[in-house]
Structures are given as C-alpha cells and as structure tokens.
C-alpha cells in the first residue's frame, strides 16, 4: 500500500498507510465518542437534581469534543495543519463556556444548597422579596409556591448569593398583635396585660411550650398600647394571628373595654410584590 501513487490527488507525500491511519483515527474517535456519551449521560443521571435534558446536553458536548479530537488526529496523519481545527475548537469552547456559564454557576450553587442544607423541601423561606414554600430543588433553581397559588423559580446562584430567611428552620415562629385600649384612672395595667396573654394563649395553634406574653409599649393618661407576642407553627402565621385578633377582641368586649386589635406590620410580606 505504500507504493500507491497519490499524486493525482495533489498529495504525493501521503502514503496509503497515512491514509489508513487517518481513517482509523477518525473511526476510533467516533467509536470512543459513543462510550463517552453513554458514560457522561449515566454519570449525570446519577448526580442529584440533574434533569434528563441537562444530562443529554453534557453528554453531547463530550461526544462532539471526542469526535473533533479523532478528526484532528486523522488530519495530522495526512500532514494537514491542525491549527485551523484547533482554532475552531477553541472558539467553540469559548462559546460553550459563555453559554454554559450561567448553567455551571447554578449547578455549583445547587450542589452547595444540597450539601449545606440551608433550606429543604417544605420550608417556608424568603428570598429576593418573595415568601413561599420550597417544593423543588433542582440543578437550575429553587421552586417556591406562594400562599396565593403562584410558582416562583429563583436561580440557585441568586438564592445562594443573597440572604435567605428560613421561617421553618426552628420549627416555630413568633408573631404579634398590637392592642390599643382607652385608659381611665382606675385601669389596672398588669391585670389588663394578663387578660390579653390569657386570651391569646387560648387560641388553637398557639404554642404552649413557648410563653405568650403581653408587653406595654405606650402608657398615657388616656391610652394603653400593648404588644401581644405568641409562638406558632411556621406555616400557620396568618391563621393563628387571625384567631388571636378575634380572641383578644372578644376578651376586651367581655371586660367592657373598647379597644382596637391589629396585626403588626413587622412580618415579611406573604406574597411577592406586584410588578411596577
């Protein structure tokens, strides 16, 4: 085969053996790409929170790189300069890096969220001004369901780079209501505060292992302003607070006091802000 004359093709310095090795190198690259594709897809499938589309994308990129490598080796056997091919590969690599940079950042952040466990499924969290329950952790984002039925996808890199308020981490949460009561000269303030505490403690959902307390905030000749603080399950803030408002209001009415009971604005919003 070494005596084959290739001068008609303009490549008199290329022997039959060179042509054979070039074909074998390209064929080997193609065969190897199949195994690389299968191996990468299997590996990505075993990686937590990696979707099927993400696994296929990574496997295809690896397969194409191996095919290009085989072609480059084959061209080298034919004496063809591989600099243009290398330039193309470098350009494709740069494009892939730019395209996949966000994917890589979110994937790495997702791994950190999975290993450090600042949040988990079922937690109520606040991030980027949104409060919701975590329903999914994947390789790209954290999916939250808000109390008004909306789904919010927060990128993992954003979730990891911004402060995360986890309402469920301790298994309990404190809320409070503010009470304004007209005051007369004979008003017994300690007894009034005890009455408010007892009324809030009687509400279903208020924890008894953490003490409910009523604190005087403002005392003037004509008005008493107090805060009633109570603990409850992290996901039952609205329901329990509503019950406390009703119970305290009924207790004031039974005592002949014309007071005003309002929930305080200190808690974070329960729904995302409306778009401007």
């Amino acid at each position: 085969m070494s005596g084959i004359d290739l001068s008609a093709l303009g490549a008199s310095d290329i022997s039959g053996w060179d042509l054979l090795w070039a074909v074998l190198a390209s064929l080997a690259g193609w065969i190897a790409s199949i195994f690389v594709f299968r191996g990468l897809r299997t590996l990505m499938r075993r990686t937590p929170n990696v979707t099927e589309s993400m696994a296929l994308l990574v496997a295809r990129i690896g397969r194409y790189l191996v095919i290009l490598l085989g072609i480059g080796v084959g061209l080298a056997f034919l004496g063809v300069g591989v600099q243009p091919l290398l330039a193309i590969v470098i350009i494709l690599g740069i494009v892939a890096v730019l395209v996949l940079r966000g994917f890589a950042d979110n994937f790495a952040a997702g791994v950190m969220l999975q290993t450090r466990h600042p949040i988990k499924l079922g937690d109520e969290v606040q991030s980027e001004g949104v409060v919701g329950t975590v329903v999914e952790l994947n390789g790209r984002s954290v999916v939250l369901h808000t109390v008004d039925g909306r789904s919010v996808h927060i990128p993992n890199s954003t979730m990891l780079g911004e402060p995360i308020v986890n309402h469920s981490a301790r298994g309990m949460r404190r809320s409070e209501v503010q009470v304004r009561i007209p005051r007369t000269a004979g008003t017994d303030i300690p007894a009034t505060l005890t009455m408010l505490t007892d009324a809030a403690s009687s509400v279903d959902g208020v924890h008894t292992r953490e003490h409910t307390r009523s604190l005087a905030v403002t005392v003037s000749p004509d008005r008493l302003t107090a805060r009633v603080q109570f603990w409850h399950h992290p996901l039952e803030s609205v329901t329990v607070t509503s019950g406390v408002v009703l119970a305290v209001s009924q207790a004031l009415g039974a005592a002949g006091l014309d007071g005003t009971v309002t929930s305080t604005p200190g808690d974070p919003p329960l729904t995302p802000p409306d778009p401007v």
Side-chain angles (χ1 to χ4, degrees), residues 52-122:
E52 179 65 21
S53 60
M54 295 166 58
L56 287 175
L57 176 62
V58 174
R60 286 171 180 169
I61 292 175
R63 181 178 184 179
Y64 296 151
L65 289 177
V66 173
I67 291 176
L68 289 176
L69 178 61
I71 294 175
V73 174
L75 292 176
F77 279 114
L78 297 177
V80 178
V82 295
Q83 288 80 3
L85 181 61
L86 290 177
I88 294 175
V89 172
I90 292 174
I91 292 174
L92 291 177
I94 294 175
V95 172
V97 169
L98 293 177
V99 172
L100 298 177
R101 182 176 60 180
F103 164 77
D105 291 343
N106 286 323
F107 181 79
V111 173
M112 291 295 295
L113 290 173
Q114 288 291 311
T115 54
R116 299 295 297 273
H117 302 293
I119 59 176
K120 62 181 183 296
L121 295 179

Coordinates of all heavy atoms in Angstrom, one line a residue, residues 52-122:
E52 N -33.0 15.3 32.8 CA -32.6 14.5 31.7 C -32.1 15.4 30.6 O -31.1 15.0 29.9 CB -33.8 13.7 31.2 CG -33.5 12.8 30.0 CD -32.5 11.7 30.2 OE1 -32.4 11.3 31.4 OE2 -31.9 11.2 29.3
S53 N -32.7 16.5 30.4 CA -32.2 17.4 29.3 C -30.8 17.9 29.6 O -29.9 18.1 28.7 CB -33.1 18.6 29.2 OG -33.2 19.3 30.4
M54 N -30.5 18.2 30.9 CA -29.1 18.6 31.3 C -28.1 17.5 31.1 O -27.0 17.8 30.6 CB -29.2 19.1 32.7 CG -30.0 20.4 33.0 SD -30.3 20.6 34.7 CE -28.7 20.7 35.4
A55 N -28.5 16.3 31.4 CA -27.6 15.2 31.2 C -27.3 14.9 29.8 O -26.1 14.7 29.4 CB -28.2 13.9 31.8
L56 N -28.3 15.1 28.9 CA -28.1 14.9 27.4 C -27.2 16.0 26.9 O -26.4 15.7 26.0 CB -29.4 14.9 26.7 CG -30.3 13.6 26.9 CD1 -31.6 13.8 26.2 CD2 -29.6 12.4 26.3
L57 N -27.4 17.2 27.4 CA -26.6 18.3 26.9 C -25.1 18.1 27.2 O -24.2 18.2 26.3 CB -27.0 19.6 27.5 CG -26.2 20.9 27.2 CD1 -26.2 21.2 25.7 CD2 -26.7 22.1 28.0
V58 N -24.8 17.7 28.4 CA -23.4 17.5 28.8 C -22.8 16.3 28.0 O -21.7 16.4 27.6 CB -23.3 17.2 30.3 CG1 -21.9 16.9 30.7 CG2 -23.7 18.5 31.1
A59 N -23.6 15.2 27.9 CA -23.1 14.1 27.1 C -22.8 14.4 25.7 O -21.8 13.9 25.1 CB -24.1 12.9 27.3
R60 N -23.7 15.2 25.1 CA -23.5 15.5 23.7 C -22.2 16.4 23.5 O -21.5 16.2 22.5 CB -24.7 16.3 23.1 CG -25.9 15.3 22.9 CD -27.2 16.1 22.6 NE -28.3 15.2 22.3 CZ -29.5 15.6 22.2 NH1 -29.8 16.9 22.4 NH2 -30.5 14.7 22.0
I61 N -22.0 17.3 24.4 CA -20.8 18.2 24.3 C -19.6 17.3 24.4 O -18.6 17.5 23.6 CB -20.8 19.2 25.4 CG1 -22.0 20.3 25.1 CG2 -19.5 20.0 25.5 CD1 -22.1 21.3 26.2
G62 N -19.5 16.4 25.3 CA -18.4 15.5 25.4 C -18.2 14.6 24.2 O -17.1 14.4 23.7
R63 N -19.3 14.2 23.6 CA -19.2 13.3 22.4 C -18.6 14.1 21.2 O -17.7 13.6 20.5 CB -20.6 12.8 22.0 CG -20.6 11.9 20.8 CD -22.0 11.4 20.5 NE -22.0 10.5 19.4 CZ -23.0 9.8 18.9 NH1 -24.2 10.0 19.5 NH2 -22.9 9.0 17.9
Y64 N -19.1 15.3 21.0 CA -18.6 16.2 19.9 C -17.1 16.5 20.1 O -16.4 16.5 19.1 CB -19.4 17.4 19.8 CG -20.9 17.2 19.5 CD1 -21.9 18.1 19.9 CD2 -21.3 16.1 18.7 CE1 -23.2 17.9 19.6 CE2 -22.6 15.9 18.4 CZ -23.6 16.7 18.8 OH -24.9 16.5 18.5
L65 N -16.7 16.7 21.3 CA -15.3 17.0 21.5 C -14.4 15.8 21.2 O -13.3 16.0 20.6 CB -15.1 17.5 23.0 CG -15.6 18.8 23.4 CD1 -15.4 19.1 24.9 CD2 -15.0 19.9 22.6
V66 N -14.9 14.6 21.5 CA -14.1 13.4 21.2 C -14.0 13.2 19.7 O -13.0 12.8 19.1 CB -14.7 12.2 21.9 CG1 -14.0 10.9 21.5 CG2 -14.5 12.4 23.4
I67 N -15.2 13.4 19.0 CA -15.2 13.3 17.5 C -14.2 14.3 16.9 O -13.4 13.9 16.0 CB -16.6 13.5 17.0 CG1 -17.5 12.3 17.4 CG2 -16.6 13.6 15.5 CD1 -19.0 12.5 17.0
L68 N -14.2 15.5 17.3 CA -13.3 16.5 16.8 C -11.9 16.1 17.1 O -11.0 16.3 16.2 CB -13.6 17.9 17.4 CG -14.9 18.6 16.9 CD1 -15.1 19.9 17.7 CD2 -14.8 18.8 15.4
L69 N -11.6 15.6 18.2 CA -10.2 15.1 18.6 C -9.8 14.0 17.6 O -8.7 14.0 17.1 CB -10.2 14.6 20.0 CG -8.8 14.1 20.5 CD1 -7.8 15.2 20.4 CD2 -8.9 13.5 21.9
G70 N -10.7 13.1 17.3 CA -10.4 12.0 16.4 C -10.1 12.5 15.0 O -9.1 12.1 14.3
I71 N -10.9 13.5 14.5 CA -10.7 14.0 13.2 C -9.4 14.8 13.2 O -8.6 14.7 12.2 CB -11.8 15.0 12.9 CG1 -13.1 14.2 12.7 CG2 -11.6 15.8 11.6 CD1 -14.4 15.0 12.5
G72 N -9.0 15.5 14.2 CA -7.8 16.2 14.3 C -6.6 15.3 14.2 O -5.6 15.6 13.5
V73 N -6.6 14.2 14.9 CA -5.5 13.2 14.9 C -5.4 12.6 13.5 O -4.3 12.4 12.9 CB -5.7 12.1 15.9 CG1 -4.7 11.0 15.8 CG2 -5.7 12.7 17.3
G74 N -6.6 12.3 12.8 CA -6.5 11.8 11.5 C -5.9 12.8 10.5 O -5.1 12.4 9.6
L75 N -6.3 14.1 10.6 CA -5.7 15.1 9.7 C -4.2 15.2 10.0 O -3.4 15.5 9.0 CB -6.4 16.4 9.9 CG -7.9 16.5 9.5 CD1 -8.5 17.8 9.8 CD2 -8.0 16.2 8.0
A76 N -3.8 15.0 11.2 CA -2.3 15.1 11.5 C -1.6 14.0 10.8 O -0.5 14.2 10.3 CB -2.1 15.0 13.0
F77 N -2.2 12.8 10.7 CA -1.5 11.7 9.9 C -1.4 12.0 8.4 O -0.5 11.6 7.7 CB -2.3 10.4 10.1 CG -2.1 9.7 11.3 CD1 -3.0 9.5 12.3 CD2 -0.8 9.1 11.6 CE1 -2.8 8.8 13.5 CE2 -0.5 8.4 12.7 CZ -1.5 8.3 13.7
L78 N -2.3 12.9 7.9 CA -2.3 13.2 6.5 C -1.4 14.4 6.2 O -1.3 14.9 5.1 CB -3.7 13.5 6.0 CG -4.7 12.4 6.0 CD1 -6.1 12.8 5.6 CD2 -4.2 11.2 5.1
G79 N -0.8 14.9 7.3 CA 0.1 16.1 7.2 C -0.6 17.4 7.1 O 0.0 18.4 6.7
V80 N -1.9 17.4 7.4 CA -2.6 18.7 7.3 C -2.4 19.4 8.6 O -2.5 18.8 9.7 CB -4.1 18.4 7.1 CG1 -4.9 19.7 7.1 CG2 -4.3 17.6 5.8
G81 N -2.2 20.7 8.5 CA -2.0 21.5 9.7 C -3.3 21.5 10.5 O -4.4 21.8 9.9
V82 N -3.3 21.3 11.7 CA -4.5 21.2 12.6 C -4.7 22.5 13.3 O -5.7 22.6 14.1 CB -4.3 20.1 13.6 CG1 -4.3 18.7 13.0 CG2 -3.1 20.3 14.5
Q83 N -3.9 23.6 12.9 CA -4.2 24.9 13.6 C -5.6 25.4 13.3 O -6.2 25.9 14.3 CB -3.1 25.9 13.1 CG -1.7 25.7 13.7 CD -1.0 24.6 12.9 OE1 -1.5 24.1 11.9 NE2 0.2 24.3 13.4
P84 N -6.1 25.4 12.1 CA -7.5 25.8 11.9 C -8.5 25.1 12.7 O -9.4 25.6 13.3 CB -7.7 25.6 10.4 CG -6.3 25.7 9.8 CD -5.4 25.0 10.8
L85 N -8.3 23.7 12.8 CA -9.2 22.9 13.6 C -9.1 23.3 15.0 O -10.2 23.4 15.7 CB -8.9 21.4 13.4 CG -9.8 20.4 14.1 CD1 -11.3 20.6 13.6 CD2 -9.3 19.0 13.9
L86 N -7.9 23.4 15.5 CA -7.7 23.8 16.9 C -8.4 25.2 17.2 O -9.0 25.4 18.2 CB -6.2 23.9 17.3 CG -5.5 22.5 17.4 CD1 -4.0 22.7 17.7 CD2 -6.2 21.6 18.4
A87 N -8.2 26.1 16.2 CA -8.9 27.4 16.4 C -10.4 27.3 16.5 O -11.0 28.0 17.3 CB -8.5 28.3 15.2
I88 N -10.9 26.4 15.6 CA -12.4 26.2 15.7 C -12.8 25.6 17.0 O -13.8 26.0 17.6 CB -12.8 25.3 14.5 CG1 -12.6 26.0 13.2 CG2 -14.3 24.9 14.7 CD1 -12.9 25.1 12.0
V89 N -12.0 24.6 17.5 CA -12.3 24.0 18.8 C -12.3 25.0 19.9 O -13.1 25.1 20.8 CB -11.4 22.8 19.0 CG1 -11.6 22.3 20.5 CG2 -11.6 21.7 18.0
I90 N -11.3 25.9 19.9 CA -11.1 26.9 20.9 C -12.3 27.9 20.9 O -12.9 28.2 21.9 CB -9.8 27.7 20.7 CG1 -8.6 26.7 21.0 CG2 -9.7 28.9 21.7 CD1 -7.3 27.3 20.8
I91 N -12.7 28.3 19.7 CA -13.8 29.2 19.5 C -15.1 28.5 20.1 O -15.9 29.1 20.8 CB -14.0 29.6 18.1 CG1 -12.8 30.5 17.6 CG2 -15.3 30.4 17.9 CD1 -12.8 30.8 16.2
L92 N -15.3 27.3 19.7 CA -16.5 26.5 20.2 C -16.4 26.4 21.7 O -17.5 26.5 22.4 CB -16.6 25.2 19.5 CG -16.9 25.2 18.0 CD1 -16.9 23.7 17.5 CD2 -18.3 25.8 17.8
G93 N -15.2 26.2 22.2 CA -15.1 26.1 23.7 C -15.4 27.4 24.4 O -16.1 27.3 25.4
I94 N -15.0 28.5 23.8 CA -15.3 29.8 24.4 C -16.8 30.0 24.4 O -17.4 30.5 25.3 CB -14.5 30.9 23.7 CG1 -13.0 30.7 23.9 CG2 -15.0 32.3 24.2 CD1 -12.2 31.7 23.2
V95 N -17.4 29.7 23.2 CA -18.8 29.9 23.1 C -19.6 29.0 24.1 O -20.5 29.5 24.8 CB -19.3 29.6 21.7 CG1 -20.8 29.6 21.6 CG2 -18.7 30.6 20.7
A96 N -19.1 27.8 24.2 CA -19.8 26.9 25.2 C -19.6 27.4 26.6 O -20.6 27.3 27.4 CB -19.1 25.5 25.1
V97 N -18.4 27.9 26.9 CA -18.2 28.5 28.3 C -19.2 29.6 28.6 O -19.8 29.8 29.6 CB -16.8 28.9 28.5 CG1 -16.6 29.7 29.8 CG2 -15.9 27.7 28.5
L98 N -19.3 30.5 27.6 CA -20.2 31.7 27.7 C -21.6 31.3 27.8 O -22.4 31.8 28.6 CB -20.0 32.7 26.5 CG -18.6 33.3 26.4 CD1 -18.6 34.2 25.2 CD2 -18.3 34.2 27.7
V99 N -22.0 30.3 27.0 CA -23.4 29.8 27.1 C -23.7 29.1 28.3 O -24.8 29.2 28.9 CB -23.7 29.0 25.8 CG1 -25.1 28.3 25.9 CG2 -23.6 29.8 24.6
L100 N -22.7 28.2 28.8 CA -23.0 27.4 29.9 C -22.6 28.0 31.3 O -22.7 27.3 32.3 CB -22.3 26.0 29.7 CG -22.7 25.2 28.5 CD1 -21.9 23.9 28.4 CD2 -24.2 24.8 28.6
R101 N -22.1 29.2 31.2 CA -21.6 29.8 32.5 C -22.7 29.9 33.5 O -22.5 29.6 34.7 CB -21.0 31.2 32.2 CG -20.4 31.9 33.4 CD -19.8 33.2 33.1 NE -20.7 34.1 32.5 CZ -20.4 35.3 32.0 NH1 -19.2 35.7 32.1 NH2 -21.3 36.1 31.5
G102 N -23.9 30.4 33.0 CA -25.0 30.5 34.0 C -25.4 29.1 34.5 O -25.7 29.0 35.6
F103 N -25.4 28.2 33.5 CA -25.8 26.8 33.9 C -24.8 26.3 35.0 O -25.2 25.7 36.0 CB -25.8 25.9 32.7 CG -25.8 24.4 33.0 CD1 -26.9 23.8 33.5 CD2 -24.6 23.7 32.9 CE1 -26.9 22.4 33.7 CE2 -24.6 22.3 33.2 CZ -25.7 21.7 33.6
A104 N -23.5 26.5 34.7 CA -22.4 26.0 35.7 C -22.6 26.7 37.0 O -22.4 26.0 38.1 CB -21.1 26.2 35.1
D105 N -22.8 28.0 37.0 CA -23.0 28.7 38.3 C -24.1 28.2 39.1 O -24.0 27.9 40.3 CB -23.1 30.2 38.0 CG -21.9 30.9 37.5 OD1 -20.8 30.2 37.6 OD2 -22.0 32.0 37.0
N106 N -25.3 28.0 38.4 CA -26.5 27.5 39.1 C -26.3 26.0 39.5 O -26.8 25.6 40.6 CB -27.7 27.6 38.1 CG -28.2 29.0 38.0 OD1 -28.1 29.8 38.9 ND2 -28.6 29.3 36.8
F107 N -25.6 25.2 38.7 CA -25.3 23.8 39.1 C -24.5 23.8 40.3 O -24.8 23.0 41.3 CB -24.7 23.1 37.9 CG -24.4 21.6 38.2 CD1 -25.4 20.7 38.2 CD2 -23.2 21.2 38.6 CE1 -25.2 19.4 38.5 CE2 -22.9 19.9 38.9 CZ -24.0 18.9 38.8
A108 N -23.4 24.6 40.4 CA -22.5 24.6 41.5 C -23.2 25.1 42.8 O -23.1 24.5 43.9 CB -21.2 25.4 41.2
A109 N -24.0 26.1 42.6 CA -24.8 26.6 43.7 C -25.8 25.6 44.2 O -26.1 25.5 45.4 CB -25.5 27.9 43.3
G110 N -26.4 24.9 43.3 CA -27.3 23.8 43.6 C -26.7 22.7 44.5 O -27.3 22.2 45.4
V111 N -25.4 22.4 44.1 CA -24.7 21.4 44.9 C -24.4 21.9 46.3 O -24.6 21.2 47.3 CB -23.4 21.1 44.2 CG1 -22.5 20.2 45.1 CG2 -23.6 20.3 42.9
M112 N -24.1 23.2 46.4 CA -23.9 23.8 47.7 C -25.2 23.8 48.6 O -25.1 23.5 49.8 CB -23.4 25.2 47.6 CG -21.9 25.3 47.0 SD -20.7 24.6 48.2 CE -20.9 25.8 49.5
L113 N -26.3 24.1 47.9 CA -27.5 24.1 48.7 C -27.9 22.7 49.1 O -28.5 22.5 50.2 CB -28.7 24.7 47.8 CG -28.6 26.2 47.5 CD1 -29.7 26.5 46.4 CD2 -28.8 27.0 48.7
Q114 N -27.5 21.7 48.3 CA -27.8 20.3 48.7 C -26.9 19.8 49.8 O -27.4 19.0 50.6 CB -27.7 19.4 47.5 CG -28.8 19.6 46.4 CD -30.2 19.1 47.0 OE1 -30.3 18.0 47.5 NE2 -31.2 19.9 46.8
T115 N -25.7 20.3 49.8 CA -24.7 19.7 50.8 C -24.8 20.5 52.1 O -24.6 19.9 53.2 CB -23.3 19.8 50.3 OG1 -23.0 21.1 49.8 CG2 -23.2 18.8 49.1
R116 N -25.0 21.8 52.1 CA -25.0 22.6 53.3 C -26.4 22.7 53.9 O -26.5 23.0 55.1 CB -24.6 24.1 52.9 CG -23.2 24.2 52.4 CD -22.1 23.8 53.4 NE -22.2 24.6 54.6 CZ -21.5 25.8 54.7 NH1 -20.7 26.2 53.7 NH2 -21.5 26.5 55.7
H117 N -27.5 22.4 53.2 CA -28.8 22.3 53.7 C -29.3 23.5 54.4 O -29.9 23.5 55.5 CB -29.0 21.1 54.6 CG -28.6 19.8 54.0 ND1 -29.4 19.2 53.0 CD2 -27.6 18.9 54.2 CE1 -28.8 18.1 52.6 NE2 -27.7 17.9 53.4
P118 N -29.1 24.7 53.8 CA -29.8 25.9 54.5 C -31.3 25.9 54.3 O -32.0 26.5 55.1 CB -29.1 27.1 53.7 CG -28.8 26.5 52.4 CD -28.4 25.1 52.6
I119 N -31.8 25.2 53.3 CA -33.2 25.0 53.1 C -33.5 23.6 52.7 O -32.6 22.9 52.2 CB -33.7 26.0 52.0 CG1 -33.0 25.8 50.7 CG2 -33.6 27.5 52.4 CD1 -33.6 26.6 49.5
K120 N -34.7 23.2 52.8 CA -35.1 21.8 52.4 C -36.6 21.9 52.0 O -37.3 22.9 52.2 CB -34.9 20.8 53.5 CG -35.7 21.1 54.8 CD -35.4 20.0 55.8 CE -36.3 20.2 57.1 NZ -36.0 21.4 57.7
L121 N -37.0 20.8 51.3 CA -38.4 20.7 50.9 C -39.4 20.9 52.0 O -39.2 20.4 53.1 CB -38.6 19.4 50.2 CG -37.9 19.1 48.9 CD1 -38.2 17.7 48.4 CD2 -38.1 20.2 47.8
G122 N -40.4 21.8 51.8 CA -41.4 22.0 52.8 C -41.1 23.3 53.7 O -42.0 23.7 54.4

